[in-house]
Amino acid sequence: MTSIAGSLGLISGGAAGEIPPKAARLVEIAHSNAARLVRLINDILDIEKIEAGRMQFDLRPLALAPLLEAAQHQTAGFAGEYGVKVDIEPVGAGFAVLADEDRLMQVITNLLSNAIKFSRRGEVVTIRVTPLDRRYRISVIDRGEGIPEAFRSRIFGKFAQADASDSRQKGGTGLGLSIVREIVVRLGGSVDFESVEGAGSIFHVDLPAAELPGISPTPSEVETQMPRDPTLPIVLHVDDDPDMLAVVSSAFDGKATIHSTPSVAEARAAIRRTRYDAAILDVGMLDGCGTDLVAPLRKRAPSLPVVLFTAQEVDGAPKDGIDLVLVKSRASLDTLVREVTDRIGSDRVNGGGGK
């Protein structure tokens, strides 16, 4: 299909020589519909990959300024077709998030494409970054017609269109915002919007903040620098991926104090010092397996909730002292936070728990 769309584009551009005006119009229609079908197929494949847990995410600290500039450059030609300009408000040099570069680029370009399509000719689409508490908010602002009230509850649904004619007039597939939401959730973030009919819309993407390489504190330094709220439960997180340690710690912000370590040996020492309310373990570390920690954890607190959070495809049935198995590619951080905090609450009601 991609080759068909490309060939029609060449013919429409005159690569095969001049063609009669009526035929040229038919070729242009065919090219437009073929290109839309290619986008639809690609979007459907992306949705299927995400829902099946087959879309890979390579989480790492990303500087926002160059990424947003690249997104602006990628959509410049599209914006030009609509007579719309894309502006980026100044972004701090140290503003960085923990995300997958390709997937975050997909999110931003999807939001920019939508904003451009629904903007009036001559208008400006603005990208703004706002620092929040251990997060950064990326906002894409348009000054178009806004989103009808009746459509807002369905806006992130599959094949959602505010108007039946939108797909023809604007060329959308109705899957773009659904893909945006699915990707952002799996990056440990959230997406929301605000809109005023007749005045425009703002889409917000909130993602965990990250330190750029060279200035990132080690997990042990994080523990000593962050004052602990004594009302919060304490959760041990063992994972040999420093980026995953950072993003999980950010996800639990305000809900639990996370003690992070990439080492089974360090975790054993921490268990001797601290009585934990829950533990999140990965499977394969350089110095052992996270499941080796179940026995010492249970010795300190027999009913302590233990969640296996791993990239490996393992049997999801709880076993060997594990209360729950979550596979990283299929379980969002929201799910991890909910499952752990719910289990801590149940354990405390039943008289277990740490401290």
Side-chain angles (χ1 to χ4, degrees), residues 8 38 90 123 135 150 154 251:
L8 289 169
V38 169
E123 286 288 2
R135 294 170 294 149
R154 299 182 288 114

Side-chain angles (χ1 to χ4, degrees), residues 30 133 346 350:
D133 182 21
S346 298
N350 294 328

Side-chain angles (χ1 to χ4, degrees), residues 46 55-60 62 67 74 99-110 183 187:
D46 278 345
M55 181 173 280
Q56 299 299 312
F57 293 87
D58 179 18
L59 298 179
R60 61 185 62 203
L62 300 175
L67 185 137
Q74 280 193 22
D100 180 292
E101 184 171 5
D102 291 339
R103 298 309 170 193
L104 182 53
M105 179 66 75
Q106 186 177 1
V107 165
I108 302 302
T109 54
N110 266 357
I183 290 175
L187 292 177

Side-chain angles (χ1 to χ4, degrees), residues 264-348:
V264 171
E266 287 183 10
R268 288 185 185 278
I271 293 167
R272 289 193 292 270
R273 294 191 304 266
T274 306
R275 188 175 173 87
Y276 289 104
D277 294 284
I280 303 168
L281 309 176
D282 197 2
V283 176
M285 255 71 64
L286 292 175
D287 60 344
C289 183
T291 55
D292 297 338
L293 299 169
V294 174
L297 283 165
R298 295 288 191 205
K299 185 176 181 180
R300 292 294 307 272
S303 61
L304 172 140
V306 178
V307 174
L308 197 66
F309 189 50
T310 178
Q312 297 186 24
E313 293 291 333
V314 295
D315 183 2
K319 56 185 179 180
D320 299 329
I322 303 296
D323 296 296
L324 178 68
V325 177
L326 295 176
V327 177
K328 292 175 182 176
S329 62
R330 295 199 297 268
S332 69
L333 287 172
D334 285 343
T335 299
L336 175 66
V337 172
R338 184 181 66 252
E339 293 287 354
V340 171
T341 54
D342 284 354
R343 280 170 165 74
I344 291 172
S346 298
D347 188 43
R348 287 183 168 181

Side-chain angles (χ1 to χ4, degrees), residues 18-30:
E18 296 243 3
I19 56 176
K22 287 185 178 179
R25 175 59 182 154
L26 293 174
V27 170
E28 183 182 340
I29 292 170

Side-chain angles (χ1 to χ4, degrees), residues 237-256:
H237 181 207
V238 185
D239 194 307
D240 61 357
D241 182 345
D243 291 339
M244 184 56 66
L245 291 174
V247 74
V248 168
S249 179
S250 179
F252 276 89
D253 188 32
K255 300 179 178 67

Side-chain angles (χ1 to χ4, degrees), residues 112 137 260 294 300:
L112 284 176
R137 168 167 289 178
S260 306
V294 174
R300 292 294 307 272

